[in-house]
């Protein structure tokens, strides 16, 4: 924060100019008072209503064609399971498809291809976070063997961000009043406001219990928790 005392200043300069080209520059207007710059961060809390998870199938075979064919068959089951559980097509997007040779390395020998690995991954948005764990279990049952996530977020963060902005201005004003009282002044008005940063939300606590084939059945559970939405503003005040 900066606390700067300023006063009205008038500067005159004489320049040798011909009458035809003579110009008079208007002096900069400097507020008559004390300028105070304050940065403040406002916050509001929301429960995430979107869970984004990457799920896919990884297969291996001796030939590239066999690896891709097996992968395609299993991925068809994964997509069918998503459709059966009510996930909308707009919430499913392919995020990665790859085919890579697998090598064997031996001392003083060039690497030898031993087979191929195919991978197909989709990004899935769950609009009912509470049901996403059960859907993951259905995907695993249909052949999904690679799961990453979830990433929790807000479907429509604008209203929450506006609340955080309003809170930031309120905090900045309260801090300016504090400084003004301490200096024996009062806040006259706001000269400028600028915003920095975007929606910020630390990842909330997640309970994730993956099913293990050799262990008794344990349903996957995902809890949304709460997340903070923040906004930071810089406000310039005029004090007198």
């Amino acid at each position: 924060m900066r606390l700067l005392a300023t006063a009205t200043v008038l500067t005159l300069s004489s320049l040798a100019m011909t009458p035809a080209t003579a110009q008079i520059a208007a002096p900069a207007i400097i507020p008559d008072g004390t300028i105070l710059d304050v940065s403040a961060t406002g916050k509001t809390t929301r429960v995430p209503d979107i869970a984004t998870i990457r799920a896919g199938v990884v297969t291996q075979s001796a030939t590239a064609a066999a690896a891709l064919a097996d992968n395609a068959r299993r991925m068809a089951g994964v997509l069918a399971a998503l459709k059966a559980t009510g996930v909308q097509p707009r919430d499913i997007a392919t995020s990665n498809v790859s085919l890579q040779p697998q090598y064997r390395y031996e001392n003083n020998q060039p690497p030898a291809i031993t087979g191929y690995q195919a991978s197909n991954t989709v990004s899935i948005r769950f609009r009912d976070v509470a049901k996403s764990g059960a859907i993951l279990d259905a995907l695993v049952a249909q052949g999904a063997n690679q799961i990453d996530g979830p990433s929790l977020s807000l479907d429509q963060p604008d209203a929450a961000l506006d609340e955080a902005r309003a809170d930031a201005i309120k905090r900045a004003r309260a801090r300016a009043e504090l400084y003004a009282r301490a200096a024996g002044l009062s806040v006259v008005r706001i000269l400028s406001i600028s915003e920095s940063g975007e929606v910020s939300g630390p990842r909330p606590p997640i309970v994730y219990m993956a099913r293990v084939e050799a262990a008794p059945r344990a349903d996957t559970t995902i809890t949304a928790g709460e997340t903070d939405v923040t906004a930071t503003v810089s406000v310039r005040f005029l004090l007198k």
Side-chain angles (χ1 to χ4, degrees):
M1 300 180 185
R2 294 182 298 166
L3 189 61
L4 305 175
T6 64
T8 302
V9 177
L10 178 63
T11 302
L12 298 178
S13 60
S14 299
L15 301 176
M17 298 182 180
T18 64
T21 60
Q23 296 180 354
I24 300 176
I29 299 176
I30 302 177
D32 183 13
T34 300
I35 294 176
L36 173 66
D37 289 327
V38 176
S39 293
T41 299
K43 182 180 73 172
T44 189
T45 301
R46 289 288 191 277
V47 175
D49 53 6
I50 293 288
T52 302
I53 294 173
R54 289 170 50 124
V57 176
V58 177
T59 56
Q60 293 181 340
S61 189
T63 66
L68 283 175
D70 187 22
N71 191 278
R73 178 182 59 80
R74 295 192 187 186
M75 199 63 193
V78 168
L79 295 176
L82 288 172
K83 182 178 180 181
T85 54
V87 178
Q88 298 299 312
R90 62 177 177 144
D91 292 327
I92 306 171
T94 299
S95 59
N96 181 65
V97 177
S98 67
L99 176 66
Q100 297 177 334
Q102 303 298 293
Y103 296 95
R104 181 181 66 248
Y105 296 91
E106 295 181 358
N107 292 335
N108 302 321
Q109 296 292 330
I113 296 178
T114 59
Y116 292 85
Q117 177 175 289
S119 175
N120 191 338
T121 306
V122 292
S123 177
I124 312 155
R125 286 190 301 176
F126 299 103
R127 298 180 184 273
D128 188 344
V129 177
K131 294 181 179 180
S132 56
I135 296 176
L136 287 180
D137 289 338
L139 295 181
V140 172
Q142 291 299 320
N145 56 10
Q146 187 178 58
I147 295 177
D148 180 28
S151 174
L152 302 179
S153 60
L154 301 175
D155 186 28
Q156 298 181 355
D158 291 346
L161 183 56
D162 286 345
E163 286 186 19
R165 289 177 176 131
D167 185 51
I169 294 295
K170 180 180 178 181
R171 290 172 183 265
R173 181 82 187 201
R175 198 169 299 171
E177 296 282 359
L178 174 65
Y179 275 94
R181 288 193 302 270
L185 301 171
S186 61
V187 176
V188 176
R189 62 189 177 92
I190 292 176
L191 297 177
S192 66
I193 301 174
S194 62
E195 179 180 313
S196 61
E198 300 178 354
V199 176
S200 173
R203 187 166 176 164
I206 300 170
V207 177
Y208 195 97
M209 296 182 295
R211 182 183 306 175
V212 180
E213 295 298 332
R217 178 188 176 100
D219 293 335
T220 301
T221 302
I222 296 175
T223 59
E226 289 186 342
T227 188
D228 292 336
V229 179
T230 63
T232 300
V233 297
S234 296
V235 185
R236 173 165 288 185
F237 295 91
L238 178 62
L239 311 182
K240 285 188 178 180

